[in-house]
Amino acid sequence: MKKIILTIAAACVSATIFAADANPETGTSKQAEAKYTAVIDERSQKIVDALGLGDTNTAKKVHDIIMAQYRALNDWHNANDPLIKKAKGNKETIAKIEAPLKKMHGEYLAELGQYLSPSQIETVKDKMTYGKVEFTFKGYCVEYPNLSEADKQQVLTFLKEAREEAMDAGSSDEKSAIFNRYKGKINNYLAKQGVHSEKWIKEHAASQTK
């Protein structure tokens, strides 16, 4: 009987320890929070470094604004992504859910605008989206060597729209998915303009000689 009592007591102690680890105020969650804070701190600092700000006070303020935005986006997605999933593609419902996110986006850019020039804000946007605008645009210029200046500008417009949306995405996969969706828009636009890729032109020319 004594052995059974000791076993039960040990189990109770183990359960208490497990509960403490699961508590947001202790153990594991504190470690996760510290790790997450370190990640967004480093990510924000890399963006600030790319800006080359000479004034350390300005650099610190910009860093804190960017870091706060990363945290706010994380919190928003944790709270709202399940609701968006539950909406199952209902555009009206999703638009209502995302309205605060769009407001947060505008407020973020306004805060940055207190310390950064428009071109510097462009840099922040590019860094938050892994430089996908420039990379994708260059790819289109190679794939479609006969793009007119008007077509190039339209491609850039689409890509910058994608960047604006991708800035608020919750993960790198979501950012990529947004750019892929806009690449579909670009491809449709180019097709309507009668613009063909270099690969298509070569294949079409080869088929004509057969």
Side-chain angles (χ1 to χ4, degrees):
M1 176 64 74
K2 185 175 181 181
K3 185 176 180 181
I4 293 173
I5 293 173
L6 288 174
T7 301
I8 293 172
C12 290
V13 171
S14 297
T16 302
I17 293 172
F18 177 80
D21 285 342
N23 192 310
E25 300 300 323
T26 59
T28 303
S29 66
K30 278 190 175 181
Q31 294 171 2
E33 169 60 23
K35 185 176 181 180
Y36 173 69
T37 298
V39 168
I40 60 175
D41 176 43
E42 182 181 6
R43 194 179 297 169
S44 301
Q45 189 57 50
K46 285 181 178 179
I47 296 175
V48 172
D49 290 344
L51 294 170
L53 300 172
D55 184 89
T56 55
N57 289 329
T58 298
K60 177 67 168 59
K61 288 175 181 177
V62 171
H63 168 278
D64 291 348
I65 291 170
I66 296 171
M67 187 169 171
Q69 180 70 358
Y70 275 125
R71 187 178 296 280
L73 287 172
N74 183 65
D75 291 344
W76 188 93
H77 281 284
N78 285 339
N80 291 281
D81 282 356
L83 300 178
I84 291 175
K85 186 177 180 180
K86 189 177 179 180
K88 296 180 179 178
N90 186 312
K91 292 183 179 180
E92 186 177 344
T93 300
I94 292 173
K96 288 180 180 178
I97 295 171
E98 291 182 340
L101 181 63
K102 296 183 184 301
K103 184 173 182 288
M104 187 166 69
H105 179 97
E107 290 172 346
Y108 170 57
L109 295 180
E111 280 193 85
L112 290 177
Q114 297 177 41
Y115 305 100
L116 302 177
S117 67
S119 63
Q120 288 173 323
I121 292 176
E122 287 282 299
T123 298
V124 174
K125 291 179 178 183
D126 283 330
K127 292 299 179 181
M128 288 187 73
T129 52
Y130 314 120
K132 284 183 177 292
V133 168
E134 182 180 4
F135 176 81
T136 309
F137 179 70
K138 285 181 177 178
Y140 271 103
C141 289
V142 171
E143 189 177 358
Y144 296 84
N146 297 320
L147 281 177
S148 67
E149 285 304 313
D151 289 336
K152 287 180 181 179
Q153 286 304 311
Q154 185 57 58
V155 170
L156 266 178
T157 296
F158 278 128
L159 290 175
K160 288 186 177 183
E161 286 176 6
R163 181 183 65 185
E164 213 69 23
E165 189 176 334
M167 284 172 61
D168 298 333
S171 68
S172 58
D173 286 343
E174 287 178 23
K175 293 179 195 290
S176 294
I178 290 167
F179 272 91
N180 286 336
R181 175 156 49 81
Y182 274 85
K183 283 169 71 175
K185 291 184 178 183
I186 293 170
N187 293 340
N188 289 337
Y189 163 80
L190 293 177
K192 288 180 180 178
Q193 295 297 108
V195 180
H196 299 292
S197 68
E198 186 173 30
K199 180 181 178 181
W200 184 94
I201 293 170
K202 288 180 179 178
E203 289 177 349
H204 184 72
S207 68
Q208 296 298 309
T209 60
K210 289 181 180 179

